Amino acid sequence: MKNASSGGIPRHIAVIMDGNGRWAAGRALPRSAGHGMGVRTVKQVVEICARRGIEVLTLFAFSSENWQRPREEVSMLMNRFLEALDDEIEGLHRNGFRVRFIGNLPQLSTPLRERMEAAMTLTANNTGMTLVIAVAYGGRWDVAAAARELARRCVAGQMQIDAIDEGALDAELSLARHVPEGLADPDLLIRTGGEQRISNFLLWNLAYTELYFCDTLWPDFGERELEAAIGHFSRRQRRFGLTPGQAGAR
């Protein structure tokens, strides 16, 4: 069910951060420079969303398809991700953020998984904005994993086949297990970089989400661009005459 927003502000924003490589190429810089600037943008967007009262921010950091990139680039991305996690987790904790990771995490290196688990444990009891980072994530993988878990329960005699419905499947998806109750489905999806597709991201959870595509490359995405996306969401809410209590029924 689609989440109810409050006062035209989305409670849950999801972002496909696209354009780091093209940003670097346009400046004759290595791709690593684009990813470095992308990390800076992540920090800014997290801070802005927290100030705006966004309750959940989900970032698509590394897709299951990204494993097909050149080995050197994948290694660079993983190392940069590890460095960013080490640099930022204490500050996120001090500011009350709750950090969660979703995806096929067993595919990741042991040091990275250990840092992720430590970050989630450290921030588990925080009550500020929930920051969800999707790593080695794919929407089809997510649905298949949830289906396998329900099938396992049926085989073990823990549930009946007839009990498998939308609610049962929804409860086993990654977001439902990692965000506050009632906030699993994003109200607004933002994709930067000019592409207009969801690229296997949160396939189930985006069923009723407002989609916003912009040409701005991720390293150049700032407060003005974020406010434009939120404004788009707010105008759509007014266009359909939805009040916060009605948004979930659409």
Side-chain angles (χ1 to χ4, degrees):
M1 180 178 288
K2 179 109 169 60
N3 298 323
S5 62
S6 176
I9 302 299
R11 299 176 66 190
H12 182 174
I13 295 177
V15 185
I16 299 176
M17 307 176 290
D18 195 11
N20 290 336
R22 282 175 286 156
W23 183 93
R27 292 161 175 77
L29 296 171
R31 289 179 67 86
S32 59
H35 292 298
M37 292 299 291
V39 170
R40 184 199 64 172
T41 300
V42 167
K43 297 178 186 178
Q44 294 175 345
V45 169
V46 168
E47 292 172 359
I48 296 166
C49 284
R51 291 201 308 267
R52 292 290 264 118
I54 306 302
E55 297 179 54
V56 180
L57 175 63
T58 298
L59 302 177
F60 201 9
F62 189 86
S63 73
S64 53
E65 289 80 7
N66 285 158
W67 291 116
Q68 301 171 19
R69 293 186 178 187
R71 181 177 300 177
E72 295 78 8
E73 183 175 358
V74 171
S75 178
M76 178 272 295
L77 287 171
M78 291 296 103
N79 288 334
R80 190 173 293 279
F81 190 80
L82 186 58
E83 291 170 1
L85 186 57
D86 286 342
D87 291 342
E88 301 300 329
I89 189 59
E90 289 295 336
L92 291 169
H93 178 51
R94 284 195 304 272
N95 287 290
F97 290 95
R98 183 171 177 263
V99 179
R100 311 301 291 171
F101 296 94
I102 62 172
N104 192 0
L105 303 186
Q107 289 186 318
L108 305 176
S109 68
T110 298
L112 185 51
R113 290 200 312 273
E114 290 176 347
R115 301 290 214 294
M116 290 177 171
E117 290 293 339
M120 289 192 286
T121 299
L122 177 66
T123 64
N125 296 321
N126 292 343
T127 58
M129 187 178 78
T130 298
L131 174 61
V132 182
I133 303 173
V135 186
Y137 176 88
R140 292 178 176 178
W141 164 85
D142 200 4
V143 173
R148 280 196 301 271
E149 173 57 23
L150 295 179
R152 184 196 65 76
R153 292 182 192 175
C154 289
V155 170
Q158 298 171 344
M159 71 181 300
Q160 298 297 314
I161 292 177
D162 290 344
I164 298 177
D165 56 14
E166 290 185 12
L169 184 60
D170 183 82
E172 290 304 315
L173 293 168
S174 297
L175 281 178
R177 292 185 286 108
H178 288 287
V179 304
E181 185 176 358
L183 286 171
D185 294 342
D187 297 294
L188 172 65
L189 170 74
I190 300 169
R191 178 165 187 157
T192 64
E195 300 291 348
Q196 297 189 16
R197 57 178 183 267
I198 61 174
S199 296
N200 196 25
F201 185 43
L202 302 176
L203 295 180
W204 178 282
N205 301 99
L206 295 180
Y208 293 100
T209 299
E210 294 291 346
L211 307 180
Y212 180 82
F213 304 104
C214 68
D215 293 332
T216 305
L217 301 177
W218 178 246
D220 292 327
F221 190 87
E223 186 163 9
R224 181 178 63 181
E225 290 77 18
L226 180 58
E227 290 298 335
I230 292 175
H232 165 84
F233 174 83
S234 178
R235 289 190 296 275
R236 293 281 291 179
Q237 293 288 86
R238 290 197 298 272
R239 175 182 173 186
F240 287 103
L242 298 175
T243 67
Q246 295 171 325
R250 187 169 50 165

